[in-house]
Amino acid sequence: DGSGARALTETQDRLSWWEWSPDGRQIAFTSHVNHRPTIHVVSADGSAPPRAIDVGMFAESVTWRPPDGAELIFRATRAATVSGIFAVRPDGTGLREVTPMDGSAQYGYQGPFSMTSDGSTLTYTVWEGNVILRLHFVDVTTGEDRERIGPMDEAHAVFSPDNKLIAFNRRAASTRNDVPTQVFVGPVDDPAAAVAVGPESTAVSGDPGLAYDFSPDGTKVIVTKYRTEETYVAGVTGGSGEFLAPTADLPNWQRLAP
């Protein structure tokens, strides 16, 4: 009802990327310390002040590793030139590489990423030669990495709730910004089986084109066109979908549900 609001932190410099732990007891976020994005963890009940986890790099896109939140997974950059994906325990110990620190921070190499619901596999995007976009899948524990070769550029995958499908962006490889792009859904290991879902869009400079996510039961995909602020719902078996509502926000199934 909006009552009982309380501050969990003091004023933070550029607070972002906040996310609840799986058990709901803690919140992870990033905030700038000495002009560097730094991971923080705070108790959800406000019983203790936030504690900073200084990994010695610029940290962003922090998320809890499912299913139990035993590690925080995040993208890190060093000297604003190279990037990688790392893991660290919530108490700040056990910092380790999930992917090599060899990505180009300038071109979004190795990000954004998403994980399976059991926390075993992570997918991220590689921008090869600043032109070709490829999806990679990595074993979060062992670091074993494999590249998926699709018929066109593929990027920014998210897993279905049962981890059997991915929704991702597919477009023609090009150095141009105004390339048609569309969401596809298909099995992780079979690019040829993917089907187009939702509307087609065009990604231009400063506009990623489409945002999307699966429904909680994994039978539908919600797709938002950034530029026109239109939201559609389509089945995972394909089709242009049904216009749902105008929205300027990222797609969130619960937010648009009755």
Side-chain angles (χ1 to χ4, degrees):
D1 61 2
S3 62
R6 65 185 188 280
L8 297 181
T9 73
E10 297 179 353
T11 301
Q12 302 283 150
D13 183 10
R14 284 182 269 186
L15 186 152
S16 61
W17 301 112
W18 50 87
E19 184 173 308
W20 290 87
S21 62
D23 63 8
R25 296 180 178 179
Q26 300 181 92
I27 299 171
F29 63 93
T30 63
S31 178
H32 281 229
V33 176
N34 296 325
H35 309 289
R36 184 173 68 194
T38 302
I39 298 170
H40 293 72
V41 176
V42 64
S43 299
D45 61 5
S47 59
R51 62 182 183 277
I53 301 175
D54 187 357
V55 297
M57 298 171 284
F58 290 74
E60 61 183 1
S61 303
V62 61
T63 187
W64 299 83
R65 182 181 178 182
D68 57 3
E71 292 181 302
L72 294 166
I73 310 296
F74 60 97
R75 180 173 179 259
T77 61
R78 182 178 291 127
T81 56
V82 292
S83 68
I85 298 172
F86 289 76
V88 67
R89 298 189 190 100
D91 63 3
T93 63
L95 177 66
R96 64 183 181 88
E97 287 187 348
V98 176
T99 69
M101 187 68 147
D102 62 358
S104 166
Q106 180 179 1
Y107 294 103
Y109 193 114
Q110 298 193 340
F113 62 85
S114 65
M115 280 183 289
T116 53
S117 59
D118 62 2
S120 64
T121 304
L122 178 149
T123 178
Y124 64 96
T125 302
V126 173
W127 197 337
E128 297 178 352
N130 306 338
V131 177
I132 301 173
L133 290 164
R134 299 290 193 205
L135 290 175
H136 281 236
F137 296 85
V138 61
D139 185 305
V140 179
T141 300
T142 67
E144 180 183 356
D145 194 310
R146 57 189 175 86
E147 183 180 62
R148 169 179 158 130
I149 306 297
M152 304 170 72
D153 271 14
E154 295 182 346
H156 309 157
V158 294
F159 289 98
S160 61
D162 63 5
N163 306 320
K164 294 180 179 180
L165 301 173
I166 53 171
F168 59 94
N169 218 321
R170 180 178 279 178
R171 69 175 197 177
S174 175
T175 57
R176 295 170 50 193
N177 286 321
D178 57 344
V179 177
T181 181
Q182 193 164 13
V183 176
F184 279 70
V185 172
V188 172
D189 297 317
D190 190 358
V195 296
V197 299
E200 187 178 87
S201 186
T202 302
V204 297
S205 180
D207 175 6
L210 298 166
Y212 41 92
D213 200 4
F214 284 96
S215 62
D217 64 4
T219 63
K220 298 178 181 179
V221 175
I222 186 170
V223 181
T224 295
K225 298 175 70 173
Y226 277 103
R227 194 179 320 129
T228 58
E229 299 181 355
E230 297 171 341
T231 297
Y232 296 77
V233 172
V236 296
T237 56
S240 59
E242 175 187 359
F243 176 73
L244 187 63
T247 176
D249 208 345
L250 295 175
N252 181 290
W253 199 271
Q254 287 74 23
R255 183 173 299 166
L256 294 175

